Amino acid sequence: MKIGCPTEIKPQEFRVGMTPDAAREAIAHGHQVMIQKGAGLGAGFPDEDYAAAGAALIDTAAEIFASADMIVKVKEPQAGERKMLREGQLLFTYLHLAPDPEQTHDLLASGCTAIAYETVTDERGGLPLLAPMSEVAGRLAPQVGAWTLQKANGGRGVLMGGVPGVAPAKVLVVGGGVVGTHAAKIAAGMGADVTVLDRSLPRLKYLDDVFGGTFKTRYSTAGATAELIREADMVIGAVLIPGAAAPKLISRADLATMKPGAALVDVAIDQGGCFETSRATTHADPIYEVDGIMHYCVANMPGAVARTSTLALGNATLPFLLALADKGWKQACADDVHLLNGLNVHAGKLTYFAVGKALGIDVISPTLAVK
Ligand SMILES: NC(=O)c1ccc[n+]([C@@H]2O[C@H](COP(=O)([O-])OP(=O)(O)OC[C@H]3O[C@@H](n4cnc5c(N)ncnc54)[C@H](O)[C@@H]3O)[C@@H](O)[C@H]2O)c1
């Protein structure tokens, strides 16, 4: 198969769809790999590394789109890229179609087959191609929160770990899933006094079994949240109700009960945010203040650590990428229901029910598309 990897063109996106190692593996499987010149630079992979892996370096995205059988990317194709997609071409990337009718109609019109990272599943009911970015955002959250807490950035001027004789920062993590668990681990590792709130008892039991002693757990109620935010120096928002907007767990009125200069890090901002006063920010201007409380609400946190994120995403996508290239998408999806769950678009038809429902577009079953 001819596999093509263009440079990401979405603003502030520095990741790349294939690492030099991924290119080397695909080539060892007998495939051709085309990388756009400079595609890996933002993540610290120079062209020479791809050339050493055996990939062809191509000047323009247009040449890649014109000849590749499969396009591997990170972000959803932008309008100009969508015009270059062809009938029969396979697209493997994050798509997030439900809130994006324009992209959905363009993909349908192109006739391509599109497999979305975010809907590929695993045997434990997880989302293996979304999880690495939640791990990254979770681990980053205490780091950016600690920076936000610094006086010069408007924060309370509290050090995460304290020092001998001075209490550490109190960190509240709301939501103990992938983001929350990684955030709590890192915050505790920095020496903070950490509590995780979740409304799932099995999840709280798991966290207590594995991390009891490292951080505390509490069942999530409005009362527990109100009590804990009064004490917190930092609150990390990490809740998710799949397919729904994030619930607003801290209201504007609640801010008045918090310590002035406390930091709110709303990782769930990509689902609308779990604090009433959250609004999406960018890496260029990440924090703002409301009623004396500092907010950090960057919607694409993994972009700040593009190299780590690229490597983490590449580890997760590679087995699927190789299956698609080795067997062709039809056989690969027929052999693996989890990959089949990633199929969103095929030959002008939607194949993912939740997207069809969200956009009012007819859907055919992915099993039918494979046949
Ligand atoms: N900003 C970014 O760059 C970025 C990056 C990655 C993920 N995210 C977002 O972070 C959020 C969390 O993702 P995740 O992978 O950890 O999800 P997850 O499903 O693993 O965890 C979510 C947790 O929230 C809990 N929860 C739901 N409602 C709750 C409530 N009312 N109180 C307390 N807990 C509650 C659930 O029980 C679950 O344990 C998602 O919105 C995801 O899209 C953002």
Side-chain angles (χ1 to χ4, degrees), residues 119-336:
T119 65
V120 172
T121 52
D122 65 21
E123 62 286 348
R124 285 165 296 143
L127 301 169
L129 303 189
L130 210 51
M133 294 306 102
S134 288
E135 293 167 0
V136 169
R139 289 185 175 219
L140 194 56
Q143 192 174 313
V144 295
W147 179 79
T148 306
L149 272 180
Q150 290 176 23
K151 202 71 198 161
N153 299 319
R156 251 172 85 62
V158 170
L159 183 63
M160 288 290 269
V163 288
V166 180
K170 285 200 170 177
V171 174
L172 174 65
V173 180
V174 190
V178 181
V179 168
T181 305
H182 284 267
K185 263 171 75 170
I186 294 298
M190 293 166 95
D193 174 353
V194 182
T195 303
V196 176
L197 276 172
D198 203 292
R199 60 165 195 176
S200 156
L201 278 179
R203 189 67 194 169
L204 290 172
K205 284 184 179 141
Y206 165 82
L207 292 174
D208 186 68
D209 280 346
V210 177
F211 299 104
T214 305
F215 53 77
K216 292 162 269 186
T217 58
R218 287 282 298 272
Y219 186 72
S220 177
T221 60
T225 309
E227 176 195 324
L228 290 163
I229 62 172
R230 278 198 296 273
E231 293 297 312
D233 297 293
M234 183 192 305
V235 182
I236 295 173
V239 300
L240 176 65
I241 299 178
K248 304 288 181 221
L249 301 177
I250 298 182
S251 68
R252 179 156 192 170
D254 290 331
L255 300 188
T257 70
M258 296 182 68
K259 297 176 181 170
L264 295 183
V265 179
D266 200 343
V267 185
I269 189 67
D270 62 340
Q271 297 289 332
C274 56
F275 312 134
E276 188 188 353
T277 43
S278 296
R279 59 170 169 79
T281 58
T282 64
H283 293 295
D285 191 10
I287 58 179
Y288 63 93
E289 180 255 316
V290 179
D291 299 344
I293 305 298
M294 303 311 297
H295 293 56
Y296 175 102
C297 305
V298 173
N300 65 331
M301 290 174 67
V305 287
R307 186 173 175 84
T308 302
S309 300
T310 295
L311 288 163
L313 180 61
N315 291 344
T317 56
L318 184 62
F320 295 106
L321 188 159
L322 291 176
L324 289 167
D326 290 350
K327 302 178 183 180
W329 75 269
K330 279 195 176 180
Q331 193 58 48
C333 287
D335 289 352
D336 180 357

